[in-house]
Amino acid sequence: MATVLTVVFAYRRTGKFAFHVLSGALAADPRTAKVAQVFANGPAAIVSAVRDALAAADAAVAAPAPAHRVLVAWSFYTPDFAPAVAELQTVRSACRDPRVVHVAGGVHATAEPEATLRAGWDLVATGEGERTIVDLVLAGQAGHELAIVPGTAALAGDRLRRTPRGERLQLDDCPPFSLAHGRFGPIEITRGCIYACRFCQTPYFAGAAFRHRSVANVRYWVRELVARGFRDFRFLTPTSLSYGTYGPDPDLAAVEALLAGVREDIGPERRLWFGTFPSEVRPEHVTAPSLVLLRRFVTNRALILGGQSGSDRVLAASERGHDAATVERAAALALEHGFVPHVDFLFGLPGETPDDVSATLQCMDRLVARGAKAHGHTFLPLPGTPFRRAAPGRLTAEVRQQLLRLASRGVLYGQWQQQEETAARLAVPPS
Ligand code: SF4
């Protein structure tokens, strides 16, 4: 007899769009389209959703009752790992039913599955979420063991047991959100990244190659949003001006086809955001032709540029693939073309010396004097990256003071202070 299964998404504000993608994947597959989905925000809501699911399933079926299972799907970024563990413990202590399986996915769990499992999750999804969630639901409904599903990891006794991940997915096969459950978000246009910056989880999680959603597919989803009354259209990509290319040089014809097509679908009044949250622009991609193209189609006048450091030495050690002069040139060009550049800077990168910090602060000063804004971050030794074992980013009292001075003038923003604490928590003790 088949198993009745409910999926409860342990919904968090950060990373909520990942759940919308999973929900869309389940809804799009005819084999899983009818599975019950609940979005539960916070431990009390999760406990209540789990209890309701088990009680409703028990009440709805005639004897002999089929088996029931509840899959609680968790996804969190590295800084949220500790709060997620606390939430899991709260849920587990309130609901100790063996029919409930807690599955963790996302960048952090994928990079450190064993630590995630030892923190209390039953299973880690290491593969691409859209496929793994469908496979888990099918296996669960069939009453199979979930740890045999491809792209998962579990503890077998005291040992980590992993199943191989499948082929990478094509974005055109993956809905960017869930129409059926009314859960929307930005349309992911590119997954994976060729740049492999040593502090970044994206290429190590999503692959070191670009995979693009086709223009026709993007426009299909844009029209679905238009039909539902949306007025703002955003796209998710690691590097906006890499749309359509497979190497380091932008393919502006592909970017134009995308933006012109979307603009045609949304008309002149609705807002098209590109090169700003939740995507950014690499500085070497900022040229007069690319800026003219953006000005023709996009609504935003802020452009988020990845700068990261004012020191060529630190940029080279991080394998960023550009130097500091390129960042300043990009910001100047952006300003000339009517954009306000918001430039990301990362303090405390491995090997950074006081001279490097001073070069970064000077670079920031020059940029803000011209009219740019700076977005400050502190380096986090993120799981899955080559810098995982590096010392956590730390700011000296003098740097902190300089950043606060810029912040008080309204030219710098960011979470660098909280990130310094998070970085210390993430540090791997020397072995
Ligand atoms: S920081 Fe940006 S460009 Fe570098 S690897 Fe990450 S996503 Fe790619």
Side-chain angles (χ1 to χ4, degrees):
M1 185 176 292
T3 300
V4 176
L5 190 134
T6 300
V7 176
V8 174
F9 292 110
Y11 203 64
R12 307 179 67 82
R13 190 180 57 80
T14 52
K16 67 179 179 180
F17 297 133
F19 293 120
H20 299 183
V21 169
L22 298 181
S23 168
L26 287 172
D29 190 313
R31 299 166 301 167
T32 54
K34 289 196 164 39
V35 73
Q37 300 185 20
V38 184
F39 295 82
N41 200 342
I46 297 168
V47 170
S48 149
V50 167
R51 286 183 180 150
D52 287 354
L54 291 173
D58 283 339
V61 291
H68 302 142
R69 244 171 179 177
V70 179
L71 204 65
V72 185
W74 300 74
S75 179
F76 38 82
Y77 294 113
T78 294
D80 294 325
F81 179 58
V85 171
E87 287 187 14
L88 175 68
Q89 284 166 353
T90 305
V91 172
R92 275 205 181 282
S93 54
C95 193
R96 293 189 187 281
D97 195 305
R99 295 172 294 177
V100 182
V101 182
H102 292 275
V103 185
V107 278
H108 183 91
T110 300
E112 298 197 340
E114 187 163 352
T116 304
L117 293 163
R118 292 197 191 285
W121 277 274
D122 300 302
L123 203 64
V124 166
T126 59
E128 295 202 83
E130 296 96 329
R131 177 182 288 142
T132 311
I133 191 88
V134 167
D135 288 348
L136 283 171
V137 167
L138 292 174
Q141 287 173 331
H144 294 153
E145 195 197 334
L146 299 185
I148 61 165
V149 166
T152 58
L155 290 175
D158 205 35
R159 289 188 41 241
L160 181 70
R161 190 175 70 184
R162 308 175 72 127
T163 57
R165 289 193 248 190
E167 298 265 299
R168 297 273 185 199
L169 297 169
Q170 296 306 310
L171 288 188
D172 279 9
D173 297 331
C174 305
F177 37 66
S178 183
L179 293 181
H181 292 266
R183 300 281 170 168
F184 302 97
I187 298 174
E188 185 179 21
I189 55 170
T190 301
R191 187 176 293 183
C193 185
I194 62 166
Y195 289 102
C197 305
R198 292 170 72 77
F199 51 78
C200 174
Q201 288 175 313
T202 298
Y204 305 100
F205 175 66
F210 291 133
R211 283 173 282 159
H212 304 291
R213 191 181 293 278
S214 70
V215 172
N217 192 268
V218 174
R219 293 184 63 176
Y220 168 82
W221 294 108
V222 162
R223 289 194 293 270
E224 292 288 346
L225 292 176
V226 169
R228 285 162 179 78
F230 281 83
R231 303 205 56 79
D232 290 274
F233 298 81
R234 294 184 184 270
F235 304 95
L236 183 62
T237 161
T239 137
S240 305
L241 289 171
S242 293
Y243 180 74
T245 188
Y246 295 92
D249 296 325
D251 178 348
L252 291 186
V255 177
E256 180 168 357
L258 174 75
L259 297 180
V262 170
R263 187 46 88 188
E264 188 181 324
D265 289 328
I266 69 176
E269 300 303 327
R270 294 185 185 85
R271 294 179 290 259
L272 196 173
W273 306 91
F274 192 85
T276 185
F277 181 79
S279 57
E280 65 174 43
V281 176
R282 282 185 60 89
E284 74 273 26
H285 292 171
V286 176
T287 58
S290 64
L291 291 166
V292 168
L293 174 60
L294 293 180
R295 280 299 300 247
R296 275 174 64 203
F297 296 110
V298 307
T299 305
N300 48 294
R301 289 297 170 257
L303 211 57
I304 299 184
L305 298 180
Q308 317 308 355
S309 178
S311 157
D312 287 344
R313 211 183 59 77
V314 170
L315 289 170
S318 306
E319 296 187 17
R320 268 294 290 175
H322 62 76
D323 59 13
T326 304
V327 179
E328 294 203 41
R329 185 197 49 78
L333 257 184
L335 284 158
E336 269 173 38
H337 285 79
F339 287 98
V340 177
H342 289 230
V343 187
D344 281 316
F345 284 100
L346 197 43
F347 286 91
L349 277 162
E352 190 182 62
T353 64
D355 284 349
D356 297 319
V357 177
S358 155
T360 298
L361 289 169
Q362 286 169 24
C363 175
M364 279 169 80
D365 277 340
R366 285 191 296 275
L367 290 171
V368 301
R370 282 182 167 150
K373 302 242 187 227
H375 188 192
H377 309 262
T378 301
F379 163 70
L380 304 173
L382 293 172
T385 68
F387 281 166
R388 173 65 178 121
R389 304 191 79 82
R394 275 202 199 98
L395 308 177
T396 62
E398 194 190 335
V399 171
R400 236 175 264 135
Q401 209 171 17
Q402 298 220 40
L403 295 182
L404 288 171
R405 176 182 54 81
L406 290 170
S408 69
R409 286 170 47 206
V411 292
L412 168 75
Y413 62 100
Q415 308 285 313
W416 73 92
Q417 295 174 95
Q418 297 92 314
Q419 285 163 349
E420 198 178 357
E421 291 164 24
T422 306
R425 271 207 319 273
L426 287 179
V428 178
S431 45

